[in-house]
Amino acid sequence: MVLSLKVVVLLVWPALFTAGLAAELSLTLLKDAKDKGAVCLDGSPPGYYYRKGSTEPNKWIIHMEGGGYCGNEVECVERSFTDLGSSKHWKQSIELEGFLSDNCNENPHFCGWTMVFIPYCDGASFSGNVIQPVKVGIYTIYFRGIRILDAVIDTLLIAGASTADQVILTGCSAGGYSTYVHIDHVR
């Protein structure tokens, strides 16, 4: 499925978490995404963090979290017990800094834009699409990264991204690689 956004620009840049006075991005878990097979490594629902832009809400930055890869099934099982493989312990809100900050002194170019942060919970740069769950000993894991990406983007299109004037797709580490892999798919 090719998703449709008006403009997508590629930028790879690291995002940093902060504990300041910045406006928080709120977590939305996509509980109905499981019906489409979009689940994290452990089978928990995927999601995203969102903050509507204060001065330029029709300009969006969609940032894909990084976090390396799991190189084999055992590593993926281990990862499924962390925030990089499960949504079970994600915070209800986060604050970001740098070019994802809403502080105009720190981020004069993008501070008023709508911000989306997509947590990374599939271990393969939002690329897996294995239909059947994978059994590893007593554990079951899922490789459904592209379905996660599709579910998040579909939800964002309904939330207003479909009428965005500009969209920057960005990420760091494995999330940065994801921008290269999926730019045509998301566009």
Side-chain angles (χ1 to χ4, degrees):
M1 161 194 337
V2 174
L3 307 171
S4 173
L5 296 174
K6 285 187 176 180
V7 178
V8 177
V9 178
L10 175 63
L11 174 68
V12 179
W13 202 291
L16 301 172
F17 292 93
T18 182
L21 300 174
E24 294 182 339
L25 284 77
S26 299
L27 176 63
T28 298
L29 287 176
L30 303 177
K31 296 180 181 176
D32 62 337
K34 191 170 188 174
D35 298 338
K36 299 176 186 176
V39 293
C40 297
L41 279 171
D42 70 338
S44 62
Y48 63 93
Y49 291 90
Y50 173 86
R51 179 184 69 232
K52 185 172 183 168
S54 59
T55 58
E56 299 186 79
N58 285 335
K59 294 181 179 181
W60 289 54
I61 293 180
I62 301 173
H63 183 83
M64 301 167 81
E65 181 180 30
Y69 305 96
C70 47
N72 58 53
E73 292 174 352
V74 172
E75 287 179 7
C76 291
V77 167
E78 292 169 357
R79 185 184 190 99
S80 74
F81 292 100
T82 73
D83 286 349
L84 292 173
S86 174
S87 64
K88 291 178 182 175
H89 303 290
W90 288 349
K91 296 177 182 178
Q92 290 302 304
S93 62
I94 59 172
E95 297 173 358
L96 300 173
E97 62 183 25
F99 82 104
L100 299 175
S101 171
D102 70 331
N103 179 331
C104 293
N105 292 323
E106 180 179 353
N107 180 21
H109 302 292
F110 306 115
C111 61
W113 286 37
T114 296
M115 298 289 173
V116 176
F117 181 91
I118 306 174
Y120 179 41
C121 68
D122 78 297
S125 290
F126 300 94
S127 296
N129 195 17
V130 177
I131 295 170
Q132 295 299 319
V134 176
K135 287 293 224 178
V136 183
I138 62 170
Y139 301 102
T140 301
I141 54 175
Y142 302 82
F143 297 101
R144 306 278 179 80
I146 193 65
R147 295 181 193 198
I148 292 170
L149 182 59
D150 287 346
V152 170
I153 297 296
D154 286 348
T155 302
L156 295 176
L157 289 170
I158 294 167
S162 64
T163 60
D165 298 325
Q166 294 179 3
V167 176
I168 296 176
L169 180 65
T170 180
C172 65
S173 185
Y177 178 72
S178 296
T179 63
Y180 289 105
V181 171
H182 300 298
I183 189 73
D184 290 330
H185 180 76
V186 172
R187 192 189 330 215

